[in-house]
Each structure stands twice: as C-alpha cells, then as structure tokens.
Amino acid sequence: MRALAATLRGTVVVPGDGEYESSRKVWNRAVNLRPAAIVRCADVDDIVRTIDFAQVNRMPLAVRSGGHSQAGHGTCEGGVVLDLAALRAVDVDSTRRVVKVSSGARVADVIRATQAHGLLTPMGSCPDVGIGGLTLGGGENFLMAKYGVVCDNVRAAQVVTADGRTLTASDHENADLFWAIRGGGGNFGVVTWFDYQLHDVGEVLSGRLQFPISGARDTMRRYRSLIADPPDELDTSCGIAELAEGPVFSIALSFCGKRREGERIIADFRAALDPQKDTVAWAPYSADMEVPAAPSAGTGLFLDDLTDDVIDAFADAIPGAPRATTASFSHFHGAVSRVRPDAMAFPLRRPGFDFFVSVAWTSEPERAAAGAWMKALARSLRPFGAGVYVNNLNDEEQSRVAEAYGPNYERLAAIKRRYDPSNLFHVNHNVQPEAAGPGRGP
Ligand SMILES: Cc1cc2nc3c(=O)[nH]c(=O)nc-3n(C[C@H](O)[C@H](O)[C@H](O)COP(=O)(O)OP(=O)(O)OC[C@H]3O[C@@H](n4cnc5c(N)ncnc54)[C@H](O)[C@@H]3O)c2cc1C
C-alpha cells in the first residue's frame, strides 16, 4: 500500500490510521465492511493508478462517489475503495448551457452552483447523495416529467476503463459506452466527470401535504384522481414519511411552470385532500430530504398504476409498519416516459409509479422484524408490477439486476465484455460479462 501511496497526489487510509474508522463507513450503517485501503483520489492519474493497483494485486475494487448506495456498494471487504469525494468541482458554462461536474460532487453542490446562474439540471431530492451513483443508475427527481431523469440530461462523460484508458463518452465518441453509463451503473469504468444540460428553472411550487397515516387509503384514492392527466410541469409522489412526531402519509409535489397554473393545481389538491399540514410554497428548487445515516434496507418495484389492489395492499400493510419506515410511489409521466426504452440503458420509460420502501432499525431483533415486514409488503405488491429501478435494489437482490434492465440487459452485457471483460468493476448491481438469460423486466 505504501508503494501505491508514493505514486499518488491523493492519500491512502489503511487500518490503524486515525481516520480509518470514519472513512470506511458508508451511508447505510448496516454495511460494516473493512477494506484494506481507502484511496482518496486527487486527480485522474490517481484514479488510473488505483485501478491498476487493484488489477495487478487482484483485489476487489469499490468505487465511491457519495457513499449513499442502499446496497453498500461504496465499500468492500479486504479490497480497495476508490474514493472520489475530493473531486467536487462544478463548472457552469452559461453560454453553452452545460455544467461539468466532477464525480465526487454531491447533489447540493450542483444545485447551488447552477442556481447562481439562474439555471438548473435535474438532481435528486437528498443533498448528500453523490452524483456518481445517482446519474449512473438513472436519477429520479422532481423535474423529471419536464426534463427527464438525471441521465437524460448527460451530454458527455469521461470514463477511466479497466485497462487504464481515459475515454470521452458521448453521442459522437464511444457511443456504446455512452449508452451504457446512462443507467447501467458503475459497471463500465470510473466516471471522472459528467457534462449535464442546463435549463432555465426559476422558482418552483413545491413542498409536502401531510395527512394522518390512518387515512392513507382514502387519501391515496383521492390523490390518484388528481393526477389522472397531469401536465409535464407537475411531479408528485406519495407515501409514508417518518417525521419527529411519528409517521405520516405525505404527498410531495413540485410544479415548474406558470404561476397561475401552479396556483390552480395546488388549490385543487388542497380542496380535494384537506391536508393537516401543508408546506407547499414557491421557492428555488432544492434537495431538502436529509436522511441521517442508519442501518437500513430497502427494495423497490415499478408499478403500472395505483389500482385499488395496489392501494389496498399498501394500506393494509401500514398498521404493521416498523418504526422508521419510509415508502414512496413516484409518479412517472411526461418527458421521462417519452424516451424510447432502448435509447440508453435506463429502461423505465412507461407511465407508472416507481415504488420504493425502506426500513431502518436500532437493534438486531428490530432488524429481523423490519426486514420481514418490508419483504412481505414487496411480495404483496409484486403481482401488480414489473421491473425495478436499479438504485432501489438491496445487496440481496443481485438476481434482480436482469429484471431491472429488462430487454437492455443483453446489450449491457455485450458492452461489459468490451470494456470490462474480467469484471473488475463488480462491486455494484453487476452486469455479468457472460450472457445471461432474459430477465422479467420493464
Ligand atoms: C437518502 C437517499 C436519498 C436518495 N434520493 C434519491 C433520489 O432522489 N433519486 C434517485 O434516483 N435516487 C435516490 N437515492 C438513491 C441513490 O441514487 C443511489 O443510492 C446512488 O447509488 C447513490 O449514489 P452515491 O454516489 O451517493 O453512492 P455510492 O455508494 O458512492 O455509489 C453507488 C454505486 O455507484 C457506483 N459509482 C459511484 N460513482 C461512480 C463513478 N464516478 N464511476 C463509477 N461508478 C461509480 C459505485 O461503485 C456504486 O456501485 C437516494 C438514496 C438515499 C440513501
């Protein structure tokens, strides 16, 4: 490890170092692994050298941007963690309307820097999530009915591949790699930067409407009627939110358009739903969903509709929900659903609802009960959906990766064979270089 450190501009943290215990942690505290080294890369050369080191020494390699992977893929046992956290530059080119972001940046870094120019590219809802994992998985956000998922807005990226080449990926260069990194996760190399398209986004009408959890079934039915024919300017989700005062049923809403239309829509929501608490107001787009690190597990499923059966299965499960449950149905419609499913690796392109549930715990008995409840809920919704957002898979769900990519899986496997035939980049929702059978997919 000392030999590697001597070749780097960045630093290497190993067991025994004062910073080792804090550096090995990832957001999901249920993941308790001990890497042999955490390499804090300071530039692209450090990335190339770290990849080479892991390759030559046949060590597992985990790549970490923000460390928020539910499955804990920002670390590994006994291997090398390639930590991008020091690479957080955000350069706005307001003339070309493009922002170049180094891949250790967090969601809040991008929002802050671009809003200073009155511009924005869609980003997720948690300020600390890394743009690396978010973008490579797809990137749901509260502007996606108008501007698509995060990866729809990527115009180019730089990728260091397993053989140490530094490639630009765009529509014009290495187009197969460009296709794959927009949804295909970290399977193809280490992305050092992304160029994102910027949009004029002023204030959005956003916030949450909160309701007693006991009325979830009825509120969900009324919510469904309100979003039957939504404009592209409106993004919503509904589900269980865990607040200091306990769990509530919550509808999150974001409208990005003309003031008068936004006011009319929120007036309809308020009149039809009568929330007990209402935080909806005009404000700059923000990622305000701070979720503290804790041991947790989550899983997901893409649903075609909020049918009565779906609503009943969800509402029936609520009384047994463990403390610290969050669950959401994110509405897919508009721009995100107008892209062809094979236009890039991210395949969830039909109108519907992306369901995600997550449970956290503080003790082992609580863990077992919480996990059992989560799995039972997921099982009960299973008949009503197909496909899953890859970033919502947990560490036990490698068998669902083919389902997540559906018909795009075989093409991803072929691109994997071209860029990473030995599967160096396997600490992720792994696309195997060998061809796999067709998954049940989107
Ligand atoms: C609190 C919370 C809120 C969230 N909110 C949203 C949301 O609003 N929308 C949404 O779509 N998702 C959301 N997610 C899911 C999130 O997008 C994924 O967990 C994502 O993988 C996290 O990215 P990261 O870089 O922080 O994680 P990491 O753990 O650092 O990385 C995740 C995966 O991506 C790979 N990776 C990361 N960076 C690179 C890179 N530069 N090159 C190659 N591989 C890389 C890693 O190897 C790993 O496999 C949320 C998750 C949490 C915990």
Side-chain angles (χ1 to χ4, degrees):
M1 237 26 104
R2 224 172 270 144
L4 171 65
T7 66
L8 302 176
R9 275 218 311 128
T11 52
V12 179
V13 180
V14 295
D17 287 351
E19 290 170 85
Y20 180 75
E21 284 305 317
S22 59
S23 304
R24 75 183 179 87
K25 286 187 180 139
V26 287
W27 177 83
N28 186 348
R29 295 290 202 262
V31 178
N32 182 23
L33 304 180
R34 301 187 67 82
I38 298 141
V39 182
R40 295 175 171 163
C41 293
D43 56 24
V44 175
D45 286 346
D46 283 2
I47 295 173
V48 174
R49 290 196 177 103
T50 305
I51 289 174
D52 183 56
F53 179 85
Q55 188 104 267
V56 168
N57 292 284
R58 297 176 179 276
M59 292 173 86
L61 177 67
V63 180
R64 182 192 300 171
S65 170
H68 272 61
S69 150
Q70 178 71 237
H73 286 152
T75 188
C76 60
E77 183 66 34
V80 176
V81 173
L82 191 160
D83 187 351
L84 297 159
L87 302 172
R88 280 172 87 150
V90 184
D91 294 316
V92 178
D93 182 337
S94 48
T95 311
R96 284 176 56 232
R97 300 167 75 79
V98 166
V99 59
K100 184 180 291 296
V101 186
S102 296
S103 62
R106 308 296 173 97
V107 161
D109 298 332
V110 182
I111 294 177
R112 201 179 309 117
T114 55
Q115 267 173 350
H117 296 261
L119 298 166
L120 202 64
T121 192
M123 282 284 137
S125 50
C126 171
D128 290 335
V129 164
I131 62 126
L134 176 77
T135 308
L136 290 166
E140 294 178 11
N141 64 85
F142 270 94
L143 296 169
M144 67 182 171
K146 192 164 182 181
Y147 298 120
V149 276
V150 173
C151 69
D152 291 338
N153 291 274
V154 174
R155 293 292 162 262
Q158 187 183 63
V159 188
V160 182
T161 50
D163 56 9
R165 286 179 300 158
T166 301
L167 303 177
T168 301
S170 71
D171 275 335
H172 314 292
E173 286 179 79
N174 302 300
D176 55 348
L177 186 58
F178 189 51
W179 183 91
I181 61 168
R182 288 175 295 161
N187 277 286
F188 308 93
V190 179
V191 175
T192 65
W193 52 255
F194 297 94
D195 274 354
Y196 300 95
Q197 183 73 53
L198 289 169
H199 309 276
D200 285 308
V201 178
E203 289 198 325
V204 293
L205 183 61
S206 63
R208 289 183 175 76
L209 305 175
Q210 286 168 21
F211 307 86
I213 194 91
S214 55
R217 191 184 317 258
D218 181 46
T219 310
M220 251 174 119
R221 289 212 166 102
R222 284 185 283 150
Y223 161 74
R224 178 179 61 189
S225 312
L226 288 163
I227 54 156
D229 185 21
D232 286 3
E233 287 75 16
L234 182 66
D235 276 286
T236 59
S237 71
C238 72
I240 304 175
E242 186 66 36
L243 304 179
E245 61 266 31
V248 295
F249 185 76
S250 160
I251 295 174
L253 175 154
S254 166
F255 177 85
C256 169
K258 292 206 172 73
R259 286 211 166 223
R260 192 179 297 171
E261 193 187 357
E263 303 290 356
R264 184 188 56 74
I265 288 172
I266 188 61
D268 288 349
F269 271 68
R270 285 174 175 143
L273 299 171
D274 191 21
Q276 67 177 13
K277 191 167 169 201
D278 178 343
T279 65
V280 177
W282 290 97
Y285 184 86
S286 70
D288 61 354
M289 200 184 79
E290 305 251 17
V291 187
S296 69
T299 190
L301 178 68
F302 195 87
L303 300 157
D304 289 318
D305 210 348
L306 286 186
T307 59
D308 283 347
D309 286 339
V310 167
I311 293 173
D312 286 344
F314 183 63
D316 288 348
I318 286 176
R323 195 191 56 74
T325 297
T326 57
S328 63
F329 297 83
S330 300
H331 191 192
F332 269 51
H333 72 98
V336 60
S337 57
R338 285 195 290 267
V339 177
R340 279 199 343 263
D342 63 353
M344 62 187 84
F346 184 80
L348 298 171
R349 299 302 189 174
R350 60 191 200 274
F353 293 83
D354 185 35
F355 174 70
F356 177 64
V357 56
S358 159
V359 290
W361 55 84
T362 51
S363 68
E364 278 308 305
E366 232 188 295
R367 173 190 190 134
W373 179 85
M374 179 188 85
K375 285 179 185 166
L377 171 59
R379 253 195 322 274
S380 72
L381 291 174
R382 186 81 205 169
F384 314 115
V388 57
Y389 175 29
V390 73
N391 278 357
N392 288 345
L393 294 176
N394 62 52
D395 62 339
E396 294 174 3
E397 294 184 301
Q398 174 59 32
S399 62
R400 294 184 71 197
V401 174
E403 176 193 348
Y405 291 117
N408 288 346
Y409 188 88
E410 292 303 330
R411 187 167 170 190
L412 281 167
I415 299 171
K416 178 82 172 170
R417 284 194 286 281
R418 195 166 316 144
Y419 289 96
D420 185 21
S422 67
N423 207 4
L424 175 68
F425 300 107
H426 64 272
V427 184
N428 46 41
H429 294 301
N430 197 225
V431 172
Q432 315 269 317
E434 306 80 41
R440 185 173 161 259

